[in-house]
Amino acid sequence: EDQVTQSPEALRLQEGESSSLNCSYTVSGLRGLFWYRQDPGKGPEFLFTLYSAGEEKEKERLKATLTKKESFLHITAPKPEDSATYLCAVLTYNNNDMRFGAGTRLTVKP
Amino acid sequence: NAGVTQTPKFQVLKTGQSMTLQCAQDMNHNSMYWYRQDPGMGLRLIYYSASEGTTDKGEVPNGYNVSRLNKREFSLRLESAAPSQTSVYFCASSETGRNQPQHFGDGTRLSIL
């Protein structure tokens, strides 16, 4: 069965302390991997799509990378406004099935 | 710039009651989706509409029905609400198909007593 696992469940950082969030997946065939940001009480907001191993995308302090088994969301010198839950989702070739991970709740303290 | 609008934002129902969650998008997107989000779990797809006039079941369709009223609107109906359907419901849309980024509304928080 297709599975998507995000780790850690929660991460607390000091402002400026860089780190990475992980999204590992076991799927029958990867069509694409998506990263979203979700603020409390809001819907997810699209960040990146990655389609093939080795691909990287960047936006401000965020950089997403993809391997054949996992994706990382690297956060460089985070600020308090980066605090949110980060979701990854995997789209597979199996019935175009989209599976979301449970998310990593990131808190950045000033 | 509204994007995806969901109504209502909050609702409390009694077991056995019915209700319809409304969703409308103003981005001229072809595809629309309904998800539920429960604590500790990822978003799970309830129903999907690839284009106006078509709907398909997702991962957790039991207990729900949908209507793609037109290109803009996609509603989700609970015919006989159960406590297990207490959740936050999100509607989303994308230009064409699931390989496109999805744009989400801010959710409907539904409690069933």
Side-chain angles (χ1 to χ4, degrees), chain A residues 76-98:
Chain A
T76 302
K79 298 182 177 181
E81 53 262 41
D82 295 322
S83 297
T85 296
Y86 291 85
L87 307 174
C88 76
V90 170
L91 179 65
T92 77
Y93 281 103
N94 181 19
N95 294 321
N96 275 328
D97 196 20
M98 177 84 91

Side-chain angles (χ1 to χ4, degrees), chain A residues 43-105:
Chain A
E45 177 185 347
F46 171 73
L47 293 173
F48 304 109
T49 309
L50 301 167
Y51 292 105
S52 57
E55 191 174 358
E56 298 183 354
K57 294 272 180 73
E58 283 190 71
K59 180 180 178 180
E60 297 180 356
R61 295 177 292 283
L62 300 177
K63 182 166 113 174
T65 62
L66 181 65
T67 73
K68 288 186 177 179
K69 292 186 177 181
E70 59 192 348
S71 177
F72 291 94
L73 185 65
H74 307 277
I75 303 178
T76 302
K79 298 182 177 181
E81 53 262 41
D82 295 322
S83 297
T85 296
Y86 291 85
L87 307 174
C88 76
V90 170
L91 179 65
T92 77
Y93 281 103
N94 181 19
N95 294 321
N96 275 328
D97 196 20
M98 177 84 91
R99 297 280 172 157
F100 277 82
T104 293
R105 188 174 66 255

Side-chain angles (χ1 to χ4, degrees), chain A residues 30-43:
Chain A
L30 180 71
R31 272 191 78 181
L33 186 142
F34 300 79
W35 281 98
Y36 289 86
R37 169 193 170 123
Q38 185 174 22
D39 292 303
K42 299 290 186 181

Side-chain angles (χ1 to χ4, degrees), chain A residues 10-48:
Chain A
L11 181 63
R12 295 169 69 91
L13 300 173
Q14 288 295 130
E15 184 172 2
E17 181 187 1
S18 301
S19 188
S20 297
L21 314 182
N22 178 262
C23 172
S24 64
Y25 58 91
T26 54
V27 298
S28 51
L30 180 71
R31 272 191 78 181
L33 186 142
F34 300 79
W35 281 98
Y36 289 86
R37 169 193 170 123
Q38 185 174 22
D39 292 303
K42 299 290 186 181
E45 177 185 347
F46 171 73
L47 293 173
F48 304 109

